Amino acid sequence: QVTLKESGPALVKPTQTLTLTCTFSGFSLTASGMRVSWIRQPPGKALEGLAHIDWDDNKFYSTSLRTRLTISKDTSKNQVVLTMTNMDPVDTATYYCARSRTLGGDWVAFDVWGQGTMVTVSS
Amino acid sequence: SYEVSQAPSVSVSPGQTANITCSGDALGDRATYWYQQKSGQSPVLVIYRHTKRPSGIPERFSGSSSGDTATLTISATQATDEADYYCQAWDSTNVVFGGGTKLTVL
């Protein structure tokens, strides 16, 4: 069974750095074609892709947030970590991690999601 | 940057067919994905690569795509299908989500 779970602070102050951890099980991020992504959703609003990291350590960041994001992985712990600097109240959202993978030659995006973690940015 | 758009809401009667559309420039040329998000829950993938259904997703859910439009069709809609539905495509390696469509089963 594939599971992902996000963890991190529920409340951060403006200008602080947010660090979120995605701990997963049931698959290996060393396996060819695997990817873990971070996606967020402000209250009542749509989903927004933030960053992803691939099995071969290829990384990608949202164009609009590129300068504030860093993604990394620790395959020995089955974890992916996202840091976001200079947090602002507009960054208040539920942050999800999700797996993507190749399956039978197809790219299957976000086929398993974590439960999400709500982060509020407020002084 | 590439954008896709969805109608904010769609209503359907139980047992009827619901069509939820997603529009974007030449969207039919891009792999399209659909996610169902029930209130207070995480999204669930229901269609990938235009038309394919992940295991465990009922056959009532189907997808199609042509030209500038992708469509998620839910046949014999049930009350449990009431949710927000998001389409998703790729702009190179940048993920693009639609604004979501709230499906109400009246």
Side-chain angles (χ1 to χ4, degrees):
Chain A
Q1 181 189 7
V2 173
T3 64
L4 302 96
K5 186 173 183 179
E6 306 86 351
S7 59
L11 179 66
V12 297
K13 291 180 168 50
T15 76
Q16 286 187 336
T17 294
L18 171 68
T19 299
L20 295 172
T21 300
C22 174
T23 302
F24 56 88
S25 63
F27 70 97
S28 173
L29 197 44
T30 62
S32 178
M34 288 292 179
R35 171 180 293 176
V36 173
S37 304
W38 284 95
I39 300 150
R40 71 179 179 180
Q41 185 174 37
K45 295 188 177 181
L47 301 163
E48 177 187 16
L50 299 177
H52 71 241
I53 189 164
D54 291 339
W55 64 282
D56 58 359
D57 211 39
N58 182 50
K59 301 169 187 175
F60 175 81
Y61 300 100
S62 160
T63 302
S64 60
L65 294 168
R66 178 184 307 275
T67 60
R68 299 174 53 204
L69 296 173
T70 303
I71 193 169
S72 62
K73 61 182 171 72
D74 185 334
T75 52
S76 66
K77 294 182 180 179
N78 281 351
Q79 292 181 334
V80 171
V81 175
L82 181 76
T83 62
M84 181 180 293
T85 61
N86 195 26
M87 292 293 285
D88 183 272
V90 299
D91 296 314
T92 294
T94 297
Y95 287 76
Y96 296 99
C97 60
R99 182 191 75 167
S100 302
R101 61 175 175 143
T102 55
L103 179 65
D106 288 328
W107 180 246
V108 186
F110 312 134
D111 66 334
V112 185
W113 295 63
Q115 65 188 24
T117 186
M118 178 66 192
V119 177
T120 300
V121 184
S122 175
S123 56
Chain B
S1 62
Y2 190 76
E3 295 181 353
V4 294
S5 61
Q6 300 179 241
S9 63
V10 168
S11 297
V12 65
S13 300
Q16 299 303 303
T17 297
N19 290 300
I20 299 171
T21 60
C22 179
S23 299
D25 187 39
L27 182 59
D29 295 337
R30 303 172 186 255
T32 308
Y33 299 75
W34 290 94
Y35 305 88
Q36 176 195 67
Q37 187 178 32
K38 296 183 179 180
S39 180
Q41 298 184 19
S42 302
V44 173
L45 177 69
V46 294
I47 293 290
Y48 67 98
R49 289 195 66 82
H50 302 296
T51 62
K52 299 188 178 185
R53 244 184 352 265
S55 60
I57 300 302
E59 292 183 9
R60 304 184 293 103
F61 290 82
S62 63
S64 63
S65 183
S66 179
D68 293 341
T69 303
T71 302
L72 172 69
T73 299
I74 308 172
S75 305
T77 305
Q78 302 176 359
T80 55
D81 298 329
E82 189 162 282
D84 294 325
Y85 290 86
Y86 293 92
C87 64
Q88 179 250 309
W90 297 94
D91 180 18
S92 183
T93 52
N94 196 35
V95 61
V96 178
F97 286 101
T101 296
K102 181 175 182 59
L103 177 67
T104 301
V105 182
L106 298 169

